[in-house]
Amino acid sequence: MSLLEIDQLKVTFDTRYGQVTALDSVSLAMDAGETLAVVGESGCGKSITALSVMGLIPQPPGKIAGGAIRLAGEDLTRASEARLRAMRGAEVAMIFQEPMTSLNPVFTVGDQIAEAILLHQDVPRDRAWKDAVALLERVGIPAAAARAQDYPHQLSGGMRQRVMIAMAVSCRPRVLIADEPTTALDVTVQAQIFDLLNEIQRDFGAAILLITHDMGAVSEMADRVAVMYAGRVIETGTADSVLDAPQHPYTRGLIGCIPSLDTAGDGLAEIPGVVPPLHLLGAGCAFAERCLHVRDTCRDTKPRLTEKAGHHVACFGAQEGWL
Amino acid sequence: MGSGFLLRRIGYGLLLMLGVVVLNFLLIRLAPGDPAVVIAGEMGGATEEMLASIREEYGLNEPLLVQLGIYIGNVLRGDLGESFFFNQPVAHLIALRIGPTILLVVTAQLLSIFLGVLLGVLAARRPNGVMSAFVSVFATIGYAVPVFWTGIMLIILFASVLPVFPVEGMTSVRLRDAAWYVQWLDVAHHLVLPAFTLAIIYLAQYARLSRASMLEVLGSDYIRTARAKGARERTVLFRHALRNAALPILTVAGLQFGNLISGALLVETVFNWPGMGRLAFDSILRRDYPTIMGVLFFASAMVVIANILTDWSYRLADPRLRGRT
């Protein structure tokens, strides 16, 4: 049994175009101490997957229409609100994309970390504060005792993301969800945050669900990777296998988009087109309209994940070898 | 939060008060009518010699700017002049009445903020729910209905239909010798209807404003963070969201304080509340210039003080403002 198991999860949203399926038969699994990267463009369902695990899908308009999310065997989609509250922050914690806006501007950062501790642990207030300072020190914030008294606006973006990480690991969660944790940060700071996440994982043994659109981050962090497109997982396997031998044309495109020094001057590679709006998805492969290798089958039938080259891919071309 | 900020604000406030004194003085002198005639009228009939001696006595023969200079000099010494009508020092008249007015205005302000914000927060919890619809309708009615009408309706309701609250005055004569706490309770009992009447307009506005402000804040990233920590919905609403939503409410509350004081004039008249509003009303009808100017002086002082307190409470609510001046 895996630590976290997302099994055939289906999430729908009511929109003015009618009901759309934001996640369709998404299955992911991760073990303790492992890092799983979920990759894809904006709107592919990465963040919805993360929010589903946290039980934070706004309902309505959102709805978990099928499947299960099992944390150590317990199905969170059937859990009570009280149980979810006890789970959030304690067993599964989350780091968000925007450190600038994810901290409450009117409380000191020490207060906000201490609050997370007090919500889940039966400790006195001064003890929680001391723990908060120790956590700030642990995530590499100099003069932690003084910084704990600071308000978010007094800290840089990188420092705020460190604060978010300190808050997220304050109760030693078993699963840490990091939703594009470095998108809003400088490149040099990004590397520091990845290093910190790796260290934290070593120390705390948490499984990390890393949500990103950055293939560089994947190679830096991930043990395994799942590529998502328009609400479905289209390719998944170990990070090495997927990065070295990507099978799906979309995954190849994503990897091709990483600029390197060798390609300097050739212009940036891109995947033509955009992710189709979810309410316009047809019966076939969602990537068909953007795919250079598209055939009639692709437009009529949805490909399923099958094994190919040591990992799983949902693409007729890859499966049948005509890509 | 340095004391420099507060000192600077008080300095501005004093300058503002000086401007108010000058403007009040000039505006009232520009109004048609001769104060000497009014004063003489109160004495019963005016001959030309009598008017001349009154003008001499009250300094009305001097050029306007000299009169202004004398008046400002007097105000700076704490002398607001003598009422034409009551023949008492204006400062004394106001001292007797400013207490009830402050009591009424501050109670109404606190009542409207507390109830308004509570309604607004409850409405924001479910933007499409029953409570939300109620707040919208109530806000529209509360804002549209004139305060004297609300007052009169409440008087009718509580005088004849449901006589549980006194509809007139501030104290009961029969309790004059009762223990202090009985007298306090008696004043509080008398305060219910006037304070509620005055509060209702602003209550409706605050409810609407807090609903909008809360809805905006509830969509922000740090609210999602609070939920992701495992905080209860109540904690999310009242601890994490409300403090951020409070700024626009504070702004409006500060701005509305002046309107609240002018609203108090009507409410005091309707409920016969012995405050400055009644004094202003009486002295305007009688062209009692020194009293009008005294009342205006104190009313603007209250507004200036309220604004200083508002600025100061911003800084309490929002740490981002503390480093600035």
Side-chain angles (χ1 to χ4, degrees):
Chain A
M1 185 175 66
S2 301
L3 173 60
L4 179 69
E5 210 171 67
I6 299 175
D7 186 10
Q8 296 291 318
L9 186 67
K10 183 174 176 180
V11 174
T12 61
F13 276 84
D14 291 325
T15 70
R16 60 195 159 120
Y17 304 111
Q19 197 183 62
V20 299
T21 304
L23 292 186
D24 191 5
S25 315
V26 169
S27 292
L28 299 167
M30 54 197 302
D31 292 316
E34 184 183 51
T35 298
L36 169 67
V38 176
V39 193
E41 283 166 284
S42 308
C44 71
K46 312 179 297 253
S47 295
I48 296 292
T49 308
L51 289 176
S52 306
V53 175
M54 297 296 289
L56 286 176
I57 295 282
Q59 307 192 37
K63 186 174 169 230
I64 294 187
I69 301 168
R70 281 184 286 271
L71 179 67
E74 177 191 4
D75 187 355
L76 297 178
T77 61
R78 292 165 195 281
S80 68
E81 181 54 34
R83 169 68 191 119
L84 285 176
R85 251 196 336 260
M87 175 276 289
R88 282 181 207 131
E91 291 162 65
V92 182
M94 190 157 174
I95 304 164
F96 295 98
Q97 186 170 0
E98 287 290 342
M100 306 315 250
T101 54
S102 292
L103 290 166
N104 195 323
V106 302
F107 298 110
T108 64
V109 296
D111 265 337
Q112 297 187 55
I113 300 172
E115 186 192 16
I117 297 170
L118 289 168
L119 278 169
H120 299 290
Q121 296 171 31
D122 189 17
V123 293
R125 198 161 273 278
D126 57 334
R127 170 79 219 177
W129 181 267
K130 278 189 195 120
D131 287 354
V133 172
L135 282 160
L136 285 175
E137 214 160 296
R138 176 66 197 80
V139 296
I141 290 186
R147 298 271 93 163
Q149 311 268 8
D150 280 352
Y151 290 92
H153 73 277
Q154 293 167 295
L155 303 176
S156 67
M159 286 293 166
R160 289 188 217 183
Q161 196 59 297
R162 286 170 194 269
V163 170
M164 283 297 293
I165 293 172
M167 192 191 304
V169 298
S170 62
C171 297
R172 296 188 161 253
R174 291 193 278 179
V175 177
L176 184 61
I177 303 175
D179 186 358
E180 309 221 20
T182 59
T183 307
L185 303 176
D186 287 346
V187 184
T188 47
V189 182
Q190 287 186 6
Q192 293 170 8
I193 294 292
F194 284 135
D195 288 345
L196 176 62
L197 283 172
N198 277 326
E199 277 174 42
I200 292 279
Q201 182 169 41
R202 262 203 317 278
D203 293 5
F204 292 65
I208 295 182
L209 182 63
L210 175 69
I211 292 171
T212 182
H213 58 254
D214 174 4
M215 290 308 247
V218 176
S219 64
E220 191 102 8
M221 293 281 300
D223 300 309
R224 289 190 306 114
V225 58
V227 183
M228 288 187 71
Y229 191 80
R232 294 173 79 96
V233 177
I234 54 155
E235 183 159 9
T236 177
T238 64
D240 290 342
S241 165
V242 173
L243 289 175
D244 292 346
Q247 297 300 307
H248 198 289
Y250 178 67
T251 316
R252 290 181 184 177
L254 280 181
I255 294 170
C257 288
I258 309 173
S260 72
L261 289 175
D262 306 337
T263 56
D266 300 344
L268 292 172
E270 58 173 323
I271 305 172
V274 291
V275 184
L278 291 172
H279 67 278
L280 294 180
L281 285 184
C285 172
F287 189 63
E289 293 308 318
R290 301 171 75 184
C291 187
L292 298 173
H293 314 278
V294 61
R295 292 190 181 179
D296 287 345
T297 3
C298 305
R299 294 206 164 90
D300 301 336
T301 327
K302 274 199 170 64
R304 301 168 66 89
L305 280 172
T306 53
E307 196 173 339
K308 175 79 185 174
H311 59 271
H312 288 81
V313 63
C315 171
F316 294 119
Q319 288 155 8
E320 291 162 18
W322 45 259
L323 211 59
Chain B
M1 197 158 0
S3 59
F5 159 77
L6 215 54
L7 285 177
R8 198 163 27 243
R9 277 306 145 111
I10 292 172
Y12 286 144
L14 290 176
L15 272 180
L16 203 60
M17 291 302 304
L18 185 65
V20 166
V21 168
V22 172
L23 208 61
N24 281 344
F25 183 87
L26 293 178
L27 276 178
I28 286 188
R29 289 307 148 104
L30 283 176
D34 182 351
V37 175
V38 179
I39 299 167
E42 295 293 345
M43 291 174 172
T47 61
E48 202 47 50
E49 300 88 68
M50 207 169 173
L51 287 178
S53 82
I54 287 171
R55 290 200 183 99
E56 186 65 32
E57 191 187 337
Y58 288 87
L60 297 169
N61 285 326
E62 304 289 338
L64 197 60
L65 283 181
V66 175
Q67 290 186 38
L68 174 62
I70 294 171
Y71 182 68
I72 291 176
N74 288 342
V75 169
L76 287 179
R77 284 198 305 274
D79 177 9
L80 292 169
E82 185 111 346
S83 162
F84 294 166
F85 174 65
F86 294 99
N87 289 324
Q88 287 183 42
V90 170
H92 177 70
L93 289 173
I94 291 175
L96 289 178
R97 289 165 176 83
I98 197 165
T101 292
I102 291 179
L103 180 66
L104 174 64
V105 168
V106 169
T107 309
Q109 178 82 318
L110 293 180
L111 195 68
S112 58
I113 292 180
F114 179 76
L115 288 179
V117 169
L118 190 68
L119 282 179
V121 171
L122 292 178
R125 266 180 83 178
R126 302 202 199 295
N128 299 317
V130 180
M131 191 64 180
S132 209
F134 169 75
V135 164
S136 295
V137 173
F138 176 69
T140 312
I141 294 175
Y143 196 54
V145 168
V147 65
F148 58 85
W149 186 85
T150 320
I152 292 167
M153 289 303 119
L154 285 175
I155 287 179
I156 293 173
L157 178 65
F158 287 101
S160 50
V161 184
L162 200 69
V164 289
F165 293 115
V167 295
E168 198 266 347
M170 188 170 92
T171 48
S172 309
V173 181
R174 64 192 160 79
L175 291 175
R176 187 166 288 170
D177 299 320
W180 63 270
Y181 63 89
V182 178
Q183 295 202 20
W184 274 86
L185 284 175
D186 182 46
V187 169
H189 195 205
H190 279 80
L191 186 58
V192 172
L193 289 186
F196 190 73
T197 305
L198 189 53
I200 204 160
I201 304 179
Y202 304 100
L203 194 168
Q205 280 185 47
Y206 295 147
R208 227 182 133 76
L209 186 67
S210 359
R211 177 180 176 274
S213 183
M214 281 294 283
L215 279 178
E216 192 183 317
V217 168
L218 284 174
S220 55
D221 289 343
Y222 53 81
I223 294 301
R224 189 183 52 187
T225 306
R227 292 204 171 106
K229 276 187 207 177
R232 286 171 180 282
E233 200 53 27
R234 197 174 354 131
T235 314
V236 171
L237 281 177
F238 288 97
R239 182 176 145 85
H240 288 272
L242 185 55
R243 231 178 106 186
N244 284 284
L247 279 180
I249 303 169
L250 284 177
T251 308
V252 174
L255 290 174
Q256 291 291 15
F257 198 76
N259 294 341
L260 204 62
I261 289 176
S262 49
L265 188 150
L266 288 170
V267 171
E268 287 180 4
T269 309
V270 171
F271 288 97
N272 201 19
W273 188 261
M276 281 206 317
R278 285 301 307 276
L279 186 63
F281 188 69
D282 293 341
S283 51
I284 287 168
L285 287 185
R286 293 181 172 117
R287 281 184 197 281
D288 187 351
Y289 292 170
T291 313
I292 298 174
M293 287 193 289
V295 168
L296 289 175
F297 178 79
F298 272 95
S300 30
M302 281 165 73
V303 172
V304 167
I305 291 171
N307 280 334
I308 293 175
L309 289 177
T310 307
D311 280 353
W312 184 64
S313 58
Y314 276 166
R315 301 180 152 232
L316 280 185
D318 190 344
R320 283 166 296 189
L321 298 173
R322 284 178 208 165
R324 303 182 201 158
T325 49

Tab-separated table of all heavy atoms in Angstrom, chain A residues 130-156:
chain	number	residue	atom	x	y	z
A	130	LYS	N	8.723	29.157	20.475
A	130	LYS	CA	10.118	28.693	20.432
A	130	LYS	C	10.323	27.730	19.267
A	130	LYS	O	11.320	27.803	18.556
A	130	LYS	CB	10.482	28.008	21.755
A	130	LYS	CG	10.862	29.008	22.833
A	130	LYS	CD	11.427	28.280	24.063
A	130	LYS	CE	11.456	29.212	25.248
A	130	LYS	NZ	10.643	28.712	26.373
A	131	ASP	N	9.335	26.840	19.073
A	131	ASP	CA	9.422	25.906	17.952
A	131	ASP	C	9.435	26.656	16.623
A	131	ASP	O	10.165	26.287	15.694
A	131	ASP	CB	8.234	24.938	17.967
A	131	ASP	CG	8.374	23.908	19.093
A	131	ASP	OD1	9.437	23.912	19.750
A	131	ASP	OD2	7.434	23.128	19.302
A	132	ALA	N	8.606	27.715	16.555
A	132	ALA	CA	8.540	28.493	15.318
A	132	ALA	C	9.899	29.107	15.015
A	132	ALA	O	10.377	29.076	13.869
A	132	ALA	CB	7.474	29.581	15.431
A	133	VAL	N	10.542	29.658	16.044
A	133	VAL	CA	11.870	30.258	15.854
A	133	VAL	C	12.871	29.197	15.408
A	133	VAL	O	13.657	29.407	14.481
A	133	VAL	CB	12.332	30.963	17.146
A	133	VAL	CG1	13.788	31.420	17.010
A	133	VAL	CG2	11.422	32.146	17.457
A	134	ALA	N	12.804	28.005	16.043
A	134	ALA	CA	13.715	26.925	15.669
A	134	ALA	C	13.490	26.516	14.215
A	134	ALA	O	14.453	26.251	13.482
A	134	ALA	CB	13.501	25.727	16.605
A	135	LEU	N	12.226	26.487	13.790
A	135	LEU	CA	11.931	26.124	12.397
A	135	LEU	C	12.478	27.168	11.429
A	135	LEU	O	13.024	26.828	10.378
A	135	LEU	CB	10.419	25.986	12.197
A	135	LEU	CG	9.811	24.678	12.711
A	135	LEU	CD1	8.321	24.831	12.918
A	135	LEU	CD2	10.096	23.554	11.728
A	136	LEU	N	12.334	28.447	11.801
A	136	LEU	CA	12.865	29.509	10.943
A	136	LEU	C	14.369	29.351	10.787
A	136	LEU	O	14.931	29.535	9.708
A	136	LEU	CB	12.527	30.889	11.518
A	136	LEU	CG	11.079	31.345	11.359
A	136	LEU	CD1	10.842	32.660	12.075
A	136	LEU	CD2	10.728	31.476	9.880
A	137	GLU	N	15.014	28.992	11.905
A	137	GLU	CA	16.449	28.760	11.856
A	137	GLU	C	16.763	27.585	10.930
A	137	GLU	O	17.667	27.657	10.102
A	137	GLU	CB	16.934	28.448	13.263
A	137	GLU	CG	18.319	28.947	13.575
A	137	GLU	CD	18.498	29.016	15.090
A	137	GLU	OE1	17.791	29.813	15.743
A	137	GLU	OE2	19.285	28.227	15.599
A	138	ARG	N	15.936	26.535	11.060
A	138	ARG	CA	16.143	25.325	10.270
A	138	ARG	C	16.026	25.584	8.769
A	138	ARG	O	16.730	24.985	7.973
A	138	ARG	CB	15.111	24.257	10.697
A	138	ARG	CG	15.142	22.981	9.893
A	138	ARG	CD	16.456	22.231	10.116
A	138	ARG	NE	16.706	21.224	9.097
A	138	ARG	CZ	17.183	21.486	7.889
A	138	ARG	NH1	17.460	22.724	7.529
A	138	ARG	NH2	17.402	20.500	7.034
A	139	VAL	N	15.121	26.491	8.372
A	139	VAL	CA	14.976	26.760	6.938
A	139	VAL	C	15.944	27.845	6.467
A	139	VAL	O	15.809	28.364	5.362
A	139	VAL	CB	13.522	27.144	6.556
A	139	VAL	CG1	12.572	25.993	6.818
A	139	VAL	CG2	13.071	28.393	7.278
A	140	GLY	N	16.913	28.184	7.321
A	140	GLY	CA	17.993	29.048	6.868
A	140	GLY	C	17.701	30.527	6.931
A	140	GLY	O	18.201	31.297	6.112
A	141	ILE	N	16.881	30.946	7.895
A	141	ILE	CA	16.646	32.377	8.054
A	141	ILE	C	17.570	32.897	9.158
A	141	ILE	O	17.504	32.442	10.293
A	141	ILE	CB	15.168	32.655	8.367
A	141	ILE	CG1	14.361	32.348	7.109
A	141	ILE	CG2	14.963	34.087	8.811
A	141	ILE	CD1	12.921	32.685	7.171
A	142	PRO	N	18.484	33.822	8.792
A	142	PRO	CA	19.422	34.323	9.798
A	142	PRO	C	18.710	35.177	10.846
A	142	PRO	O	17.681	35.794	10.549
A	142	PRO	CB	20.402	35.164	8.973
A	142	PRO	CG	19.712	35.461	7.694
A	142	PRO	CD	18.670	34.431	7.472
A	143	ALA	N	19.245	35.198	12.058
A	143	ALA	CA	18.667	35.950	13.181
A	143	ALA	C	17.188	35.615	13.340
A	143	ALA	O	16.317	36.483	13.392
A	143	ALA	CB	18.861	37.451	12.996
A	144	ALA	N	16.916	34.306	13.406
A	144	ALA	CA	15.531	33.822	13.369
A	144	ALA	C	14.653	34.422	14.469
A	144	ALA	O	13.494	34.761	14.231
A	144	ALA	CB	15.520	32.301	13.452
A	145	ALA	N	15.216	34.571	15.675
A	145	ALA	CA	14.401	35.070	16.784
A	145	ALA	C	13.877	36.472	16.492
A	145	ALA	O	12.727	36.798	16.815
A	145	ALA	CB	15.225	35.077	18.076
A	146	ALA	N	14.728	37.296	15.841
A	146	ALA	CA	14.291	38.652	15.512
A	146	ALA	C	13.337	38.648	14.322
A	146	ALA	O	12.322	39.341	14.309
A	146	ALA	CB	15.510	39.525	15.213
A	147	ARG	N	13.672	37.827	13.314
A	147	ARG	CA	12.837	37.767	12.102
A	147	ARG	C	11.425	37.274	12.406
A	147	ARG	O	10.474	37.650	11.739
A	147	ARG	CB	13.473	36.831	11.061
A	147	ARG	CG	14.821	37.274	10.589
A	147	ARG	CD	14.706	38.181	9.415
A	147	ARG	NE	14.672	39.562	9.833
A	147	ARG	CZ	14.898	40.580	9.039
A	147	ARG	NH1	15.177	40.357	7.774
A	147	ARG	NH2	14.839	41.793	9.478
A	148	ALA	N	11.303	36.427	13.427
A	148	ALA	CA	9.986	35.888	13.771
A	148	ALA	C	9.008	37.007	14.125
A	148	ALA	O	7.801	36.869	13.958
A	148	ALA	CB	10.111	34.905	14.941
A	149	GLN	N	9.554	38.139	14.580
A	149	GLN	CA	8.716	39.284	14.954
A	149	GLN	C	8.349	40.126	13.732
A	149	GLN	O	7.597	41.091	13.852
A	149	GLN	CB	9.464	40.209	15.925
A	149	GLN	CG	10.106	39.502	17.093
A	149	GLN	CD	9.188	39.439	18.292
A	149	GLN	OE1	8.015	39.797	18.198
A	149	GLN	NE2	9.686	38.962	19.410
A	150	ASP	N	8.927	39.791	12.567
A	150	ASP	CA	8.681	40.592	11.371
A	150	ASP	C	7.342	40.245	10.733
A	150	ASP	O	6.834	39.137	10.878
A	150	ASP	CB	9.784	40.353	10.333
A	150	ASP	CG	11.039	41.150	10.654
A	150	ASP	OD1	10.978	41.980	11.577
A	150	ASP	OD2	12.058	40.921	9.987
A	151	TYR	N	6.807	41.213	10.019
A	151	TYR	CA	5.617	40.966	9.214
A	151	TYR	C	6.059	40.569	7.814
A	151	TYR	O	7.174	40.914	7.392
A	151	TYR	CB	4.754	42.226	9.167
A	151	TYR	CG	4.119	42.523	10.497
A	151	TYR	CD1	4.735	43.350	11.421
A	151	TYR	CD2	2.910	41.921	10.843
A	151	TYR	CE1	4.164	43.597	12.661
A	151	TYR	CE2	2.327	42.163	12.072
A	151	TYR	CZ	2.960	43.001	12.982
A	151	TYR	OH	2.394	43.228	14.195
A	152	PRO	N	5.204	39.843	7.082
A	152	PRO	CA	5.621	39.350	5.757
A	152	PRO	C	6.204	40.434	4.847
A	152	PRO	O	7.164	40.180	4.136
A	152	PRO	CB	4.319	38.775	5.183
A	152	PRO	CG	3.540	38.357	6.371
A	152	PRO	CD	3.877	39.333	7.459
A	153	HIS	N	5.641	41.637	4.877
A	153	HIS	CA	6.117	42.652	3.935
A	153	HIS	C	7.547	43.093	4.231
A	153	HIS	O	8.165	43.758	3.413
A	153	HIS	CB	5.194	43.870	3.936
A	153	HIS	CG	5.304	44.734	5.161
A	153	HIS	ND1	4.644	44.461	6.328
A	153	HIS	CD2	6.015	45.853	5.401
A	153	HIS	CE1	4.939	45.379	7.224
A	153	HIS	NE2	5.768	46.246	6.691
A	154	GLN	N	8.063	42.714	5.389
A	154	GLN	CA	9.439	43.091	5.716
A	154	GLN	C	10.458	42.075	5.194
A	154	GLN	O	11.654	42.266	5.356
A	154	GLN	CB	9.583	43.251	7.234
A	154	GLN	CG	8.773	44.434	7.754
A	154	GLN	CD	8.640	44.435	9.258
A	154	GLN	OE1	8.020	43.537	9.837
A	154	GLN	NE2	9.213	45.421	9.910
A	155	LEU	N	9.963	40.972	4.598
A	155	LEU	CA	10.862	39.919	4.113
A	155	LEU	C	10.858	39.860	2.584
A	155	LEU	O	9.873	40.217	1.951
A	155	LEU	CB	10.409	38.560	4.660
A	155	LEU	CG	10.316	38.429	6.184
A	155	LEU	CD1	9.776	37.067	6.557
A	155	LEU	CD2	11.670	38.658	6.828
A	156	SER	N	11.968	39.336	2.022
A	156	SER	CA	12.046	39.162	0.568
A	156	SER	C	11.223	37.939	0.155
A	156	SER	O	10.814	37.138	0.992
A	156	SER	CB	13.495	38.954	0.163
A	156	SER	OG	13.942	37.709	0.670
